[in-house]
Amino acid sequence: MSDMGPEGVLVVDKASGMTSHDVVARIRRLAGTRRVGHTGTLDPAATGVLVVCLGRATRLVTALQAGRKTYAAVAHLGMTTSSDDLDGEVLSTSSAAHLEEGTVCGALSAFHGDIDQVPPMVSAIKVDGERLHVRARRGEVVDRPARRVHIDSIMLDRFTPGETAEVGFLVACSAGTYVRSIARDLGDRLGVGGTLASLRRVANGPFVIEEAVALDALEEALAADADALRSRLLRPIDALRRAVDVMEVEDPAVQRALATGARPERLGIVLDATRTTALVAGEVLLAVVGPGQDGPQHLVWARPEDLGGAR
């Protein structure tokens, strides 16, 4: 397996039963490159949009992962589980037969806006230096600090009454939101308990399910056409144009300075430090600047020899 290979961004429709790492490993094999990463984990049982970066585009993971996520979810009301989804041990059951659609719809609306959310025990968040899902596998339950997340919109999609009621809902939320925690807290709010039954991510920022490719379909296409993967890849500059602010740099001297590592502020370029910006010269990506996971990010992309095609 080579470090050379395709470069770009692939929108994958992840199948149920695969971890996000499984997806990365399979694409590494299909693409023949080690340089593959994804922009936001999906639980094994969840399906839908997983944005995967290949080649040099793996350097853009941080810039591409911060956008709003949109999910189609189904919750079961009238039960609680250890994992807040159907993979966990059932902890309690109660009748939800008295619940009506209007009551459930009103309870869902209370989750709109900024909310404090306790992550599930099976999450990857670290408490006292150890990931929660590791402690959960040992049978431990520990206090988890609530985290502030933002729900842009949440709406009832369908409601099936019964002893265990089924609630389908659509939610658009900030990165870091746990939809299984919404299912759990919805059940708590209604007094019957709740757990997540299914989850499908239909959008990850500007990348949507309609453009996603299933890995089985991709493998079949590659068997017939060796260029099938490359034809599905978004160019890094095109992916960034969708996801972040873009600033055109017209001065050739400034373009070359950026390509040799000069920081934008030293060149008189004023940027919003709270937002990620791609600096471009026509179809040449010069640099990406913005907040990162470990502090400010300044990613130099273009090489001086790339600027011959800038306009």
Side-chain angles (χ1 to χ4, degrees), residues 38 41 43 49 70 74 81-82 89 91 121 157 164 169 182 184 215 227 236-237 248 299 301 308:
H38 65 79
T41 300
D43 291 333
V49 174
T70 305
V74 175
T81 68
S82 58
E89 176 188 357
L91 300 178
M121 268 303 302
D157 183 47
T164 300
F169 62 95
I182 295 177
R184 176 199 66 207
L215 290 185
D227 288 328
I237 192 170
E248 184 74 31
L299 170 64
W301 187 270

Side-chain angles (χ1 to χ4, degrees), residues 14-132:
K14 188 186 88 66
S16 179
M18 301 183 73
T19 67
S20 298
H21 180 72
D22 290 338
V23 173
V24 167
R26 190 165 172 188
I27 292 176
R28 281 177 177 153
R29 178 175 61 80
L30 293 175
T33 179
R34 298 183 182 89
R35 300 184 68 183
V36 180
H38 65 79
T39 71
T41 300
L42 275 176
D43 291 333
T47 66
V49 174
L50 186 70
V51 179
V52 179
C53 298
L54 288 81
R56 275 209 306 162
T58 54
R59 302 170 70 198
L60 303 177
V61 164
T62 299
L64 296 175
Q65 70 184 359
R68 180 175 70 177
K69 319 296 189 218
T70 305
Y71 298 93
V74 175
H76 284 176
L77 301 178
M79 64 186 301
T80 65
T81 68
S82 58
S83 60
D84 298 325
D85 69 3
L86 293 183
D87 288 338
E89 176 188 357
V90 176
L91 300 178
S92 67
T93 60
S94 61
S95 176
H98 63 285
L99 294 178
E100 298 179 348
E101 183 172 323
T103 304
V104 174
C105 190
L108 270 177
S109 67
F111 291 91
H112 185 268
D114 291 327
I115 63 171
D116 291 321
Q117 184 181 76
V118 176
M121 268 303 302
V122 293
S123 67
I125 294 170
K126 288 185 178 180
V127 173
D128 296 330
E130 192 171 20
R131 296 194 186 279
L132 286 173

